[in-house]
Amino acid sequence: MATTADFKNGLYLKFNDKPCMIVWFQHVKPGKGPAFVKTKLRNLENGRILENTFTAGAKIETINVERRPYQFLYADEDGFNFMHEETYEQIHLPKDVVDNSDLMKEGQHVEMMFHVEEEKCLTCELPTYVELEVTYAEPAVKGNTASTSALKEVTLETGAKIMVPLFIQQGEKISVNTTDRSYGQRV
């Protein structure tokens, strides 16, 4: 058990029987009344941000969370199959646990967050940038836009569709930001 005095960014705790991580907190001592702690918590099961106010000194239950390296093997109709990079143990995850799964290709390295006591996978995170090949891109026509930052939609080798600058051609490798699905640069 811990108290609000132990709060720090990145602390994992159980809030409303759900695993959460503290994203932001602030101790407030008003001139009148008791002190309290305002927090923003990220629910690790669905990624939502929750705002909550704890009274100063309130007891909270911390949880033990561990990050483990895995490699994406293949997808099937039920979800995704991964292999632990050190123990070679294979696990299966449903499709809703993996964010931006259409940016994952076979052999991709990912990092999973596990609730240690329950041995339950909470999240599966792709690296910030992944390198993918453009399999389809409409040819750009010079002069068809007045803006210098014009974009077009392309299809990547995984089937994902993203917006890229007009100069990107079919067959080129590009880096894609997995957090906001934006174009990074040519590789």
Side-chain angles (χ1 to χ4, degrees):
M1 284 296 217
T3 66
T4 56
D6 301 317
F7 277 8
K8 62 183 176 189
N9 290 340
L11 178 71
Y12 298 103
L13 58 103
K14 192 173 268 193
F15 178 70
N16 292 341
D17 290 328
K18 302 282 185 199
C20 294
M21 179 181 77
I22 295 178
V23 178
W24 173 87
F25 73 99
Q26 179 181 21
H27 286 278
V28 179
K29 176 110 173 73
K32 192 177 201 180
F36 58 91
V37 181
K38 293 166 59 173
T39 61
K40 287 188 182 180
L41 307 169
R42 173 170 306 209
N43 185 327
L44 297 177
E45 291 178 345
N46 57 24
R48 290 192 182 139
I49 300 290
L50 310 166
E51 292 188 17
N52 190 49
T53 302
F54 295 92
T55 57
K59 296 199 180 293
I60 54 151
E61 182 181 350
T62 59
I63 59 173
N64 193 4
V65 174
E66 190 176 89
R67 291 170 113 38
R68 299 178 188 164
Y70 276 82
Q71 182 178 16
F72 173 58
L73 296 177
Y74 61 92
D76 56 23
E77 63 276 351
D78 297 329
F80 303 105
N81 294 285
F82 296 90
M83 178 183 67
H84 193 282
E85 293 182 345
E86 295 161 4
T87 64
Y88 304 110
E89 169 193 1
Q90 292 188 17
I91 65 167
H92 178 81
L93 292 180
K95 293 182 178 186
D96 61 337
V97 175
V98 184
D99 290 335
N100 290 320
S101 59
D102 60 342
L103 294 176
M104 238 180 1
K105 65 180 181 179
E106 292 181 3
Q108 180 74 52
H109 296 280
V110 297
E111 200 167 74
M112 293 190 193
M113 200 178 299
F114 278 85
H115 188 286
V116 175
E117 287 85 23
E118 298 175 4
E119 246 342 276
K120 177 183 172 190
C121 180
L122 300 171
T123 61
C124 177
E125 299 172 358
L126 274 68
T128 307
Y129 285 94
V130 292
E131 295 177 4
L132 298 169
E133 184 177 337
V134 176
T135 56
Y136 178 75
E138 287 284 333
V141 179
K142 185 175 181 179
N144 69 349
T145 178
S147 138
T148 57
S149 62
L151 300 174
K152 65 180 179 180
E153 186 176 75
V154 298
T155 305
L156 304 173
E157 63 185 290
T158 59
K161 296 184 180 202
I162 67 162
M163 301 301 284
V164 299
L166 292 176
F167 59 82
I168 299 297
Q169 301 297 321
Q170 184 171 328
E172 289 187 52
K173 282 196 176 262
I174 61 171
S175 70
V176 179
N177 186 332
T178 58
T179 54
D180 60 1
R181 301 177 63 86
S182 64
Y183 166 78
Q185 64 183 13
R186 282 190 214 174
V187 180

